[in-house]
Amino acid sequence: MINEKDTRLSKAFITVSFIALFLGATAGLLQTLVRGGVIELPAGIGYYQLLTAHGVLLALIFTTYFIMGFLYAGISKTLGTLYEVPLKTGWLGFWMMTFGTGLATVFILLNKATVLYTFYAPLQASPWFYIALVHVIVGSWMCAFSMWRQYYIWKQITKKKLSPLFSFMAVMTMAMWFIATLGVAAAVIFQFIPWSFGWVEKIDILISRTLFWYFGHPLVYFWLLPAYMCWYVVIPKIIGGKIFSDALARLSFVLFLLFSIPVGFHHQLLEPGISHSWKFFQVVLTFMVIIPSLMTAFSMFAVFETTGRRKGAKGLLGWLKVLPWSDVRFFAPMVGMLIFIPAGAGGIINASHQLNQVVHNTLWVTGHFHLTVASSVTLTFFGISYWLIPYLSGRTLTKKMHKLGIIQTVMWAVGMFLMSGAMHLVGLFGAPRRTAYTTYSDHPQAAEWIPYQAVMAVGGTILFLAILLVLYIAYYLAFRAPKGETEFPIGEVEAAAVQTPIILENWKLWVGISAMLILIAYTLPFWHMIEHAPPGSQGYKFW
Amino acid sequence: MHIHKYEKIWLWFGAVCLVGFLSIVGVSAYAMGNQPPSHMETLDPKTATATAPFDKPGLFKKGSKEYEAVMLAQAFTFTPQKLSVPVGSTVTFKVTSTDVVHGFQIPATNVNMMITPGYVSTITQTFTKPGKYLILCNEYCGTGHQVMAVTLEVTA
Amino acid sequence: MPQLETNKPKKLKKAEKEQDLKGTLLSVMLLGLFIILSWGAVYALYLSR
Ligand code: HEM
Ligand SMILES: [Cu+2]
Ligand SMILES: [Cu+2]
């Protein structure tokens, strides 16, 4: 059993994450209804205000809080009860982040920060919005320090060279997060805050965008890696199998650290001021980060097949049938994994240099990340919740909840198929993202998009109902389910698997290479931006 | 480290695909000139409307069926608001912003780029089908973002 | 895939290591095919514009 004090920290994080999920999903529902032409917002609420709330609360808050709750529970499980310093630092992180989240939400609701979650300059929010963001970032660093400290103490005490796979992955995820958030923290602290308070008059836009996207791409891996942790470590145990290869799992996480950061230009492919050679160079690095995902795909199918064969499955694909489809702890993440196939394919397209011209800033992109983060990751997080919440609350996952969870997953898949599918298609026709309902003065091209936007509204409504269902399940598992013990499923390694080389846990080496790659990919183009910078921009509040 | 034979096959297959994709876009970019818009020219966004060529935005004929469209992006419209070229024309768009970041997209074509204040963005497109094309802003720029569009008529 | 050969104990050990993963190979190859097709489709759209 997990220590009572540790459960409290995890529970705190998960509670905030589900509150953010509810608020963000409400905004999402309204957005689809507006774009579908079903409703008009009452005066006083703007579409872009909702969109800012949706982006911040879901992409930044729901994900980060859930990840912290999950990682803390897993670290406490695999490295033992949190020591005093890690626990206290964890709470410090929680309160800093929560102060920041509250402050940001208030300023968004006051319509003082309608700049969307990417807050591109020179749109200028209230300085308190940026101060709120700093608290969220620095608070998350506290959590990183606290997890690393726990890991360090564990190593000191046990004198082991290799840590448990889960904790290795957690440390790696936080390492990547820390390196990545240095960029956005620099932009917010050194550019946005002085500028929004009026201490300096102008801001360099291209530098702020570059620092943002230096963070923005690893951000998506920060969402994804905890889902991969569930797939690599938790799923094998749930289906009654073994981890395919400890070494390959670690190797893939090492590759994520190395290649997920020096690639931010693939979000800036269509903007001036960055030479196409540097863009192409980062596109090549972007393609490197696809390799560990290909490895993950193989590992997952291999776990399913070996487990199925051990259970006596015959034929080429007979193992599919013996998977525990009625176990929601498996079903929800599995649907998430399957959705990652089109999601990943879309990502390769987005990153393909000039091919980006077909999809950039169209609804295709919105469709894409509702498959990645809002389905693959989110469904995996729901799948984790179904055992993590009762594990923390000392209750059990009942048969009925399994069933409801499966209905929830199916609703999500159907809703997302409609919403994201329509977004992908209409995006290829050219419909822009981040745009309120519009007919562009009855332009015939825009008129063709409206039916797709209506399908989005249907999908969005189903998704919202699915959110209500998952919230009910979470509430039930936290407060109503029968008391009992629920396990934290941690897989064991296949006996025949090779010994893991200890070099995979050589932090100095990997962080060093990561820093080197970042310097190679960014130093010259960044220097060029500073050298050839145009005069900066004053702030604008166009909302 | 030991890797299963099939995994090796798969990873090699994947790597070859990725190299294939990169070669296709690489050749298209470097041998055929299809680079994503990456213009390096800068100017002062505050005085952009007084800086040539943006002091006189408009459509200029540069050759037979060759045009240059000098355009300003400002919340929430583009200048000039109406453009018209004969079918088969090649138009080079030269755009800058006087205020915030905007987008510049012509649906159903490959024209798609960001307009960052302080920079000039350019892109070239040949219009082979007649019709009324939308030029729209695809980056959030404020409350009126959804109306920020002008039309380009390609006449038969 | 190395097959079991009863007269060679050394190979037997290896066969134990190399699990039967034909279904996995098929699955990932289908996945690869899907990626190629979708990429090709959007590339074709790019060329046609
Ligand atoms: C009830 C479920 C959901 C619905 C109905 C929904 C709907 C939407 C819609 C309509 C948009 C914006 C379209 C536009 O660009 O104008 C959007 C944007 C977005 N959504 Fe969702 N969504 C849902 C769940 C999620 C989840 C769970 C996440 C992440 C974990 C998420 C992340 C995002 C992000 C990051 C954006 C982009 C915001 C921006 O462009 O600034 N959404 N969503
Ligand atoms: Cu990215
Ligand atoms: Cu706009």
Side-chain angles (χ1 to χ4, degrees), chain A residues 341-358:
Chain A
I341 296 172
I348 300 178
I349 293 166
N350 299 342
S352 292
H353 209 46
Q354 72 274 37
L355 222 57
N356 188 253
Q357 281 167 230
V358 179

Side-chain angles (χ1 to χ4, degrees), chain A residues 244 297-298 301-302 305-306 309 316-317 319 341-342 345 348-349 352 354-355 358 428 494, chain C residues 16-17 19-28 31 34-35 38-39 42-43 45-46 49:
Chain A
F244 177 63
F298 190 92
F301 282 116
E305 182 163 8
T306 36
R309 294 210 182 281
L316 198 53
L317 293 172
W319 43 274
I341 296 172
I348 300 178
I349 293 166
S352 292
Q354 72 274 37
L355 222 57
V358 179
L428 288 178
E494 198 72 61
Chain C
E16 251 174 21
K17 258 190 180 174
Q19 302 128 328
D20 179 4
L21 294 177
K22 282 196 207 69
T24 301
L25 186 63
L26 176 71
S27 311
V28 287
L31 189 162
F34 178 81
I35 292 176
S38 15
W39 195 89
V42 177
Y43 190 65
L45 193 60
Y46 173 77
R49 283 176 169 178

Side-chain angles (χ1 to χ4, degrees), chain A residues 429-453:
Chain A
F429 303 151
R433 69 182 280 205
R434 297 182 148 179
T435 302
Y437 180 81
T438 176
T439 58
Y440 289 114
S441 326
D442 297 320
H443 194 279
Q445 245 174 338
E448 280 172 30
W449 303 335
I450 302 289
Y452 291 89
Q453 293 175 197

